[in-house]
Each structure stands twice: as structure tokens, then as C-alpha cells.
Amino acid sequence: MNNTVIPFSSPDAGEPEQLSLNEVELDRYNQLVSVLYRCLHENTGFTPFFEAFQQHFKALQGGIMAVTRNPQRIRYGWTFGHPEGFAQWYINSDLPERDEALTRFSNQPPRRFTSFLEGRSDLSILDMLSEESRAWTEQVNIGDSAGMLVSMDEECRIIFMANRQKQHGPYTHRELMQMNLLAPHIENAVTLHLKLYQTSSNNENLSLALNHVNKALVVINALGTVAQANDAARKIINHNSKLKLSSDGRLGSTDQQLARKISDAIAASIVNSHQGKLEPATLFVQGAEERAALNLTPLTAENPENNGVLVELFSFDNHDSADQEKLQRLFHCTPAEAAIAGELMKGLSSSEIAEERGISVHTARQHIKNLLAKNGYKKQTELVAMLVRALG
């Protein structure tokens, strides 16, 4: 069998060492590069490359993620291999700020893969993690994690990372060398992909279309920035003391905690859009005289670069109560259930509703279960989104 010698710059040496790939390895490497660039031509996102990478390197889960610097949060990304609902939970948790893998790979020199164990089977990744990270790492049975810094700017660092289960052993030096051959191609593909997204966000026809709709709508592109916001949406944002459109084109808030919630919700919806999940999310903004509700729905398109998030904005007077008769009629519910629905429209949890109305938490939850069952919704997030849309 023939060998092909390719120079590779070792992380521990200034001079390139010689990496010898046999015919099978070279063929697989060429296939990976081909699949990676074909993702750009065929508008398929990175899913085909993730699948090929998973198979070749026995990777369990990971993705390409844009990570803000301070605090360390996920802004957008493409993921693979995670269980249902994990990405949304992770983005909205505090884990990104303390995730040792994100920190490690974000601080590496660009275009260079490394791993936690660096080929050593006598080490354990669990000894390198915090207690909180260690808990879910053990649960998923992760044995090693490899990654690279793809690119960075003043706001974000884009990283590629791939976790591997314990039974496959640590990523070997040879595997890391092969990944490093892919590194410049991954950087090129991600850079080109982001340019496609940025180009697709500049759409005058979209702006004209949104302004013909009476509802307040904002379209967020797959980079988490505002592609378009119609006049009705801008009016609500401008009149709300806590909402704002920032100079860098992002929907945010003057309140730091709320700004983080909005950013996290947008990031989770973007990830869901790449996975074809249309689960809505609703955020509530409480002001002195009025409150606003933001319904976020992932947008999926034939071309993944047109994926993103549709944000519907609703404004409510704090002194107005929900129309109980309308709630009963539209949602087929009793007066008691309609009262609970009205509280859900204010963004209250079941425990907060119980305290507000002087009932037990069990009773509040039972009313919510009834509302879900009567209207065919599986999740409370879907019910809340529809309540806001129906009466907003």
C-alpha cells in the first residue's frame, strides 16, 4: 500500500514533522474535505460534514459555535449529536460561562486542534472539569473532547469542538494530526458560509414584505443579527424603556439580565432552526406602564443560509386584564382555566400563579394541564405562545 507524506506542524515543535497517510487515510481525508466544501455549493448547512466527521473520528457530539468573550455565552451555532432539548437547555443555563472546553478551545492559537487528554489513556477528562461539568460529562459517558479556534473578532470567537465517548478511548496523536490537516479547510468553509449568511440578510424585498404586515415582526438571521424589523416592531421597541436595537444590529435590552435572556433565546432558536425544530419561545418584558411579549419561532428555509428566527412583538397595558370571555371561547376552557391562562400571558410560572391567586401549586398545574390537553399542545411554551398571539 502506498504512503503519502504530508508536512504537519506539531503543537510542541516549531519545525514541521512528517505525517505519513496511507491510501485509506488519504482517501478518507479527501472525502472529508470534499464533503465540507460541498456543503457550501449544495446549501445543506454543515450537517453532511458533521456526519462524515462523526463517522471517521468516532465523535459523539459537538458543533461549530460562536462564543462571546465576556461573559462567555453562545451567540449562534450549528450542532450535532446532542439529545432532544439539550442545546436549548445548555444555552440558557450558566454552563457556557464555566465550560472548560469552550474556554480551552477559545484560547488556543487559531487553526490548531488539541484535545483534553492529548492521546494519553492514563488520564481522565473528569479530573480536568468542574463539578457541574463533570456531572453531565459522566452521564453522557464522554471520555475526551477535541476542538480548535476557527476565527475570532472583537465580539466573538468561533470554535469547532467534538466530544467522544469513553469506550473509544482518547483522540490519538495521529487523529489530531489528521484533524489539523482539515483545520485550514474548516476555517475557509466557515468563513465562506458566514459571508453567505451576511449576504442573505440584506434583503430589500423582505423589508417591503414585513411593512405590509400589521403585526410587529423582526427577522433575525442565522448570525443572530436583525435582518429586518418592520415599522410596527420599531415602534414597540422605541416606546419600551427596556428594549433596544443595538448599534451592531442586535435585538437586546438596556437591562443586562434581560439582554442575556434575549440573546440566549435567539441562540437557542437558531440552533433549533438548523435542526428543523420549530418549538416557540416567549419572553416577557415588564415595564412601568406596559409590558411586552416576544414570541420567537425558528425559521427554516430551503437554503440553510436563510434560516433564522421570527420574533413577534406584542405590547400590553399593565392595567388591562386578559379578555376572559375570549379566552374561554378560543381555548375551550372554564372560567377558572381562563383565569390561569391570563396569568400565563403575563409570564408567570405555576408557582407564581398559585401565590398570585391564592391556590395550591398542584391546582395551578392541573389547570395548565387541562389547557394543554383541550387545545392539543404538548408543551407549555407552545400554549403560552398561542395565548399571546391570540390576545396580543
Side-chain angles (χ1 to χ4, degrees):
M1 183 174 288
N2 295 330
N3 288 336
T4 299
V5 178
I6 300 177
F8 165 72
S9 181
S10 169
D12 302 318
E15 294 299 321
E17 64 178 70
Q18 300 300 308
L19 168 63
S20 179
L21 295 183
N22 59 42
E23 282 187 9
V24 174
E25 290 172 324
L26 182 61
D27 182 59
R28 288 176 179 173
Y29 163 74
N30 287 331
Q31 287 179 15
L32 282 168
V33 173
S34 177
V35 171
L36 177 61
Y37 286 119
R38 196 162 65 240
C39 290
L40 300 177
H41 296 294
E42 297 180 357
N43 298 319
T44 54
F46 287 109
T47 298
F49 175 69
F50 288 153
E51 292 174 350
F53 188 96
Q54 277 185 280
Q55 183 177 5
H56 182 65
F57 292 107
K58 297 183 177 66
L60 170 68
Q61 57 190 206
I64 298 170
M65 289 161 282
V67 184
T68 59
R69 291 174 181 267
N70 188 23
Q72 184 170 274
R73 307 293 302 172
I74 306 297
R75 176 159 283 178
Y76 58 87
W78 301 262
T79 62
F80 65 88
H82 294 289
E84 181 79 21
F86 175 85
Q88 189 168 13
W89 167 80
Y90 176 81
I91 290 170
N92 288 284
S93 73
D94 292 328
L95 275 177
E97 296 174 28
R98 301 190 298 277
D99 191 313
E100 291 85 351
L102 290 183
T103 302
R104 182 188 185 100
F105 302 138
S106 293
N107 291 317
Q108 289 291 320
R111 299 176 300 283
R112 195 185 81 181
F113 272 93
T114 185
S115 73
F116 274 77
L117 301 187
E118 297 181 339
R120 294 186 58 179
S121 57
D122 60 318
L123 299 178
S124 171
I125 191 175
L126 298 179
D127 296 332
M128 306 176 186
L129 303 176
S130 66
E131 183 177 348
E132 192 171 6
S133 297
R134 192 160 54 242
W136 73 264
T137 299
E138 280 188 293
Q139 184 178 7
V140 184
N141 197 31
I142 293 175
D144 199 4
S145 181
M148 66 171 277
L149 174 64
V150 179
S151 63
M152 60 182 175
D153 57 28
E154 293 182 0
E155 293 185 4
C156 284
R157 298 186 178 199
I158 298 175
I159 66 167
F160 178 102
M161 64 181 295
N163 298 326
R164 190 182 207 175
Q165 285 190 306
K166 193 173 182 179
Q167 61 263 34
H168 296 303
Y171 288 107
T172 65
H173 289 297
R174 189 174 190 84
E175 287 174 320
L176 290 172
M177 287 178 178
Q178 292 178 59
M179 289 182 192
N180 275 296
L181 293 175
L182 286 170
H185 298 291
I186 292 174
E187 180 194 26
N188 291 340
V190 171
T191 301
L192 290 170
H193 211 63
L194 294 181
K195 288 183 178 180
L196 287 174
Y197 278 103
Q198 291 165 339
T199 301
S200 66
S201 69
N202 185 16
N203 190 331
E204 293 182 4
N205 291 331
L206 175 61
S207 178
L208 291 172
L210 289 185
N211 277 320
H212 279 89
V213 179
N214 291 328
K215 292 184 177 181
L217 301 175
V218 176
V219 175
I220 308 290
N221 66 17
L223 301 185
T225 58
V226 175
Q228 296 293 344
N230 66 7
D231 293 341
R234 292 180 183 276
K235 183 177 180 181
I236 290 177
I237 294 169
N238 290 337
H239 282 80
N240 190 292
S241 59
K242 292 188 176 181
L243 292 174
K244 71 171 185 177
L245 288 175
S246 63
S247 57
D248 61 351
R250 298 187 182 277
L251 178 62
S253 172
T254 54
D255 178 88
Q256 188 173 0
Q257 186 176 9
L258 178 59
R260 170 179 157 173
K261 287 182 178 180
I262 294 174
S263 178
D264 289 350
I266 289 172
S269 292
I270 289 171
V271 169
N272 283 342
S273 76
H274 295 313
Q275 298 173 349
K277 300 174 184 175
L278 304 182
E279 182 178 325
T282 305
L283 294 177
F284 295 91
V285 181
Q286 186 64 57
E289 296 297 326
E290 62 180 21
R291 69 181 188 279
L294 284 68
N295 273 359
L296 293 84
T297 304
L299 289 176
T300 59
E302 184 176 352
N303 294 337
E305 65 261 26
N306 293 324
N307 285 2
V309 185
L310 177 67
V311 183
E312 303 167 84
L313 283 80
F314 303 89
S315 183
F316 303 91
D317 191 308
N318 279 336
H319 304 293
D320 290 342
S321 299
D323 188 329
Q324 297 296 296
E325 291 185 3
K326 189 174 182 181
L327 280 171
Q328 291 179 60
R329 185 174 68 254
L330 292 178
F331 292 89
H332 316 289
C333 57
T334 66
E337 291 164 352
I340 299 301
E343 302 293 1
L344 288 173
M345 287 182 58
K346 297 178 183 178
L348 300 185
S349 65
S350 55
S351 58
E352 291 170 332
I353 291 173
E355 183 177 351
E356 178 76 14
R357 304 199 69 81
I359 59 177
S360 69
V361 175
H362 172 76
T363 300
R365 288 174 179 167
Q366 188 58 53
H367 285 317
I368 294 172
K369 287 181 181 178
N370 293 342
L371 286 164
L372 291 169
K374 288 180 178 180
N375 295 279
Y377 298 117
K378 295 182 179 180
K379 296 184 178 180
Q380 188 171 321
T381 53
E382 297 173 329
L383 172 64
V384 172
M386 189 53 66
L387 286 168
V388 171
R389 286 186 183 125
L391 277 80

